[in-house]
Amino acid sequence: MRILVNGERLTTDAHSLDELCEALGFAGAKIATAVNGSFVAAPARGRTRLAEADEIEIVAPRQGG
Amino acid sequence: MLELYRAEMSSRLLLGTAGYASPDLLRQAVQASGAEIVTVSLRRESARTKTGQGFWALIEELGCRLLPNTAGCHTAKEAVATAQMARELFGTAWIKLEVIANDDTLQPDVFGLVEAATELSGDGFDVLPYTTEDLSVAERLVAAGCEVLMPWGSPIGSARGLANKTALQTLRSYFPETPLIVDAGIGAPSHAAEAMEMGYDAVLLNTAVAKAGDPVKMAEGFARAVEAGRLAFEAGLLEPRDMASPSTPVAGTPFFKIDSVS
């Protein structure tokens, strides 16, 4: 399935958002997620199914003003 | 004491964490500033570099209260989703709400701002909106549930200080009980002192410290300016007047003659 992760095209076998995060090496990392513009809380990642052309955001803390 | 959403702070300087030449300079500048609140952001995390994980370790070490922002959001929908991600990521309901109208001026989109503030306040967020100095917008933000307002001094990073002092003073007078923080445009300690002398509760700045030749020294300079301005406000400033008024007693001035002997 082809999806967009942080604006970049990616082909994945992950079924859920949780699986995708783990496949990308984010297990245990300090991240937050959104799918198609809507926030997905950490506990909901496991039951969030991915579909073709989904747009995923995976963010982490960064410097800010 | 500065009280924001039932949290008490002794420092009235809020400092941004962006743009420092090194993590160590950031750490030292925050310490020198005495800031108890620092602003942070969230950005896309690379699966390769995982930059944010190291930054998080540094932020935890600072021990400051965190004020995450929604910098770069251009719509209320983006800002709301960003705020929700920030709440989970940073473990705080505080959000420095930014909805940007124009990339050249980074002027707040006050329509999107009110829309996002309404939704986020209803969702339990403590919203600190980055807004213009416009009174009618401020009223709508307060009606939306904002207990703190953060009008800009001038555009972000411009170092122009308080561009519209009259309107900032009007806001202060109109909202005597609402914590008001000048956010953005502060370029020099004198700008910060000026805001504090006007009775603003705090100032929030980033670039003026981060991009100073010596950020640590500048952080200390700002800390003193904010304190000086606050002390002056509490002490009560002299009203300006048009004519001179001698400070040295006039009575007993030598060579002063009332009568002449002849």
Side-chain angles (χ1 to χ4, degrees), chain B residues 193 196-199 225-238:
Chain B
M196 298 307 294
E197 286 171 6
M198 286 168 71
V226 167
E227 253 184 75
R230 180 63 189 183
L231 282 172
F233 170 72
E234 288 175 0
L237 286 150
L238 207 56

Side-chain angles (χ1 to χ4, degrees), chain B residues 68-100:
Chain B
N69 68 29
T70 62
C73 290
H74 285 77
T75 65
K77 186 177 189 302
E78 284 173 16
V80 167
T82 302
Q84 289 167 333
M85 290 194 284
R87 178 163 63 179
E88 183 181 83
L89 203 51
F90 296 105
T92 176
W94 281 23
I95 191 75
K96 174 182 159 175
L97 184 61
E98 297 183 39
V99 183
I100 299 301

Side-chain angles (χ1 to χ4, degrees), chain A residues 15-64:
Chain A
H15 295 99
S16 69
L17 182 56
D18 214 22
E19 281 178 26
L20 176 72
C21 291
E22 202 171 319
L24 292 172
F26 288 122
K30 190 86 181 160
I31 55 163
T33 51
V35 175
N36 298 328
S38 297
F39 168 60
V40 177
R45 285 178 204 147
R47 60 173 181 273
T48 301
R49 315 301 294 174
L50 297 183
E52 181 77 17
D54 270 352
E55 297 183 11
I56 319 291
E57 298 289 335
I58 303 175
V59 299
R62 203 61 50 90
Q63 295 84 346

